[in-house]
Amino acid sequence: MLNQRKKVSIIGSGFVGSSCATWILARDLADICLIDVNEGLAKGKALDLYSASPNMSSDISVVGGSDYSLTENSSVIVITAGLTRKPGMSRSDLLLKNAEIMKDICQGIKPYNPSAIFIIVSNPLDAMVSLAHQILKIPRERILGMAGVLDSSRFKAFIAEKLRVSTKDISALVLGGHGDSMLPLINYTTVGGVPLSVLMSETEQKDIVERTKKGGEEIVSLLKTGSAHYAPALGVVEMLSAILKDQKRILACSALLESEYGERGVFVGVPCLLGGKGLEKIIEIPLNNEEEAQFKKSVKSVRDLVKEMNQLLKKS
Ligand code: A3D
């Protein structure tokens, strides 16, 4: 049947946005619309990718531009637009700039997409997804932030490297905000069903947890300019596959808590059941006292950041 393909629009066609589009094409997932404030960039990348589709044996369409009307009736919208810190720019300046960009995008895109599911990637992640939710005013089922899938993937990669085992057998979970306060959960990590604590010393476990928390920084310091994009983009595409194919996967995503984990009105990384409706359920897992204290600390740091962002927006 014609016209049954789903459409994914990606706002921000920089490193993360264009890598998302590449993985979507490679997995033949959906038609793609790339949007960027730099129209030529979005159009050029779209044309380049579309030219690759015959060699992928793919029939997906890829269009690009800067006009939000191109995104009309998307199944999913991925927002990766944002600025990176420039010399002389304070953390608050960057927070305000990215918040203004997020606000403009959400206001511009909403009229064309009454029922889309949104995946936010722009940083600071938990604050940006919270702002997008304030502007879009959509049910929590249709708005998620991507971070936990990436952080869990880094955690698994470092475990596989250390133990010299296949990544396929590793099951792991990272909760909390996307940043220093994230919580890689050793107690929920297994390799082929064997608890990690059986396979690694406590010192080795601690080292891997620390490396996971600083995974993004390690890459930034090697690259010198820019930041990670292959793994973040694949994190988005894992979420997209779960939604577009109604896979009912349990993935760590930033989602709005409405009583779960004893919290309300905050977006933070938790295990989510993802399917065709978007967020179908937040899974609550038991945490020991230490894990719970760390989770609460992480939630507080997200709340503080959102408060700071809202004050900056009010003053601007
Ligand atoms: P970059 O390659 O600079 O791309 C950002 C793009 O956004 C550029 O092409 C800009 O032209 C575009 N842009 C800026 N303003 C607008 C606007 N108003 N409308 C449309 N497009 C606009 O950055 P990147 O792709 O490396 O990173 C993008 C964002 O993702 C940043 O905020 C990163 O910090 C964030 N990021 C998050 C993660 C997570 O795990 C949460 C990982 C990697 C990157």
Side-chain angles (χ1 to χ4, degrees):
M1 212 187 281
L2 287 176
N3 280 334
Q4 288 301 301
R5 296 192 65 92
K6 301 217 167 148
K7 171 173 166 184
V8 172
S9 290
I10 302 169
I11 320 302
S13 309
F15 283 109
V16 177
S18 57
S19 292
C20 282
T22 310
W23 291 122
I24 293 171
L25 179 71
R27 290 197 182 180
D28 204 26
L29 266 186
D31 288 337
I32 302 167
C33 171
L34 276 172
I35 299 285
D36 202 282
V37 71
N38 179 345
E39 187 179 23
L41 180 85
K43 281 188 164 170
K45 290 203 173 178
L47 182 57
D48 189 9
L49 267 173
Y50 185 60
S51 314
S53 58
N55 284 335
M56 289 274 191
S57 304
S58 168
D59 293 314
I60 72 171
S61 88
V62 192
V63 296
S66 57
D67 189 336
Y68 291 132
S69 65
L70 291 169
T71 69
E72 192 162 25
N73 289 329
S74 300
S75 303
V76 184
I77 304 226
V78 180
I79 305 185
T80 74
L83 299 183
T84 47
R85 199 142 147 191
K86 305 267 167 354
M89 201 180 203
S90 73
R91 200 188 60 87
S92 298
D93 292 340
L94 182 67
L95 178 61
L96 177 60
K97 279 272 166 238
N98 280 341
E100 286 172 340
I101 289 173
M102 184 60 67
K103 204 170 150 188
D104 283 352
I105 290 172
C106 291
Q107 283 165 343
I109 211 152
K110 193 180 170 183
Y112 298 103
N113 293 282
S115 54
I117 294 170
F118 285 77
I119 299 177
I120 310 299
V121 189
S122 312
N123 270 320
L125 192 270
D126 304 283
M128 288 301 134
V129 66
S130 174
L131 176 62
H133 181 248
Q134 285 172 41
I135 313 250
L136 294 166
K137 297 185 175 54
I138 54 177
R140 72 169 181 172
E141 287 70 21
R142 294 206 276 122
I143 179 159
L144 293 153
M146 190 296 299
V149 186
L150 166 67
D151 299 327
S152 304
S153 176
R154 284 186 177 141
F155 190 34
K156 290 182 206 173
F158 299 150
I159 292 168
E161 186 186 38
K162 182 78 194 169
L163 293 176
R164 301 170 70 107
V165 296
S166 168
T167 56
K168 279 188 206 143
D169 293 328
I170 305 177
S171 177
L173 182 59
V174 177
L175 297 191
H178 181 59
D180 289 349
S181 67
M182 76 173 76
L183 193 57
L185 287 177
I186 293 283
N187 288 338
Y188 284 90
T189 305
T190 57
V191 184
V194 179
L196 191 64
S197 52
V198 172
L199 302 167
M200 249 186 216
S201 70
E202 270 191 34
T203 313
E204 288 170 328
Q205 292 169 34
K206 270 192 190 142
D207 288 349
I208 284 185
V209 164
E210 281 317 302
R211 194 174 176 201
T212 303
K213 288 185 180 185
K214 298 200 161 44
E217 281 170 49
E218 187 178 340
I219 293 170
V220 167
S221 67
L222 288 165
L223 291 174
K224 310 281 188 258
T225 56
S227 56
H229 53 99
Y230 298 118
L234 198 49
V236 172
V237 172
E238 286 287 281
M239 291 171 68
L240 277 174
S241 301
I243 294 167
L244 296 172
K245 296 183 175 178
D246 193 21
Q247 286 172 330
K248 314 286 186 204
R249 292 196 61 194
I250 295 179
L251 298 171
C253 309
S254 182
L256 180 63
L257 302 186
E258 284 176 346
S259 75
E260 296 86 358
Y261 295 90
E263 299 286 346
R264 185 175 289 279
V266 65
F267 277 88
V268 71
V270 284
C272 296
L273 180 72
L274 294 197
K277 295 192 179 81
L279 171 68
E280 300 196 348
K281 191 177 178 186
I282 291 178
I283 317 285
E284 287 190 86
I285 55 167
L287 299 175
N288 65 26
N289 288 346
E290 194 190 332
E291 290 161 347
E292 185 165 353
Q294 284 180 41
F295 183 74
K296 294 277 172 198
K297 196 171 151 204
S298 190
V299 168
K300 181 171 182 314
S301 69
V302 172
R303 286 195 192 278
D304 289 347
L305 192 63
V306 171
K307 200 164 154 196
E308 183 188 347
M309 176 186 70
N310 285 334
Q311 280 167 351
L312 288 168
L313 280 170
K314 219 170 178 180
K315 272 196 241 154
S316 69

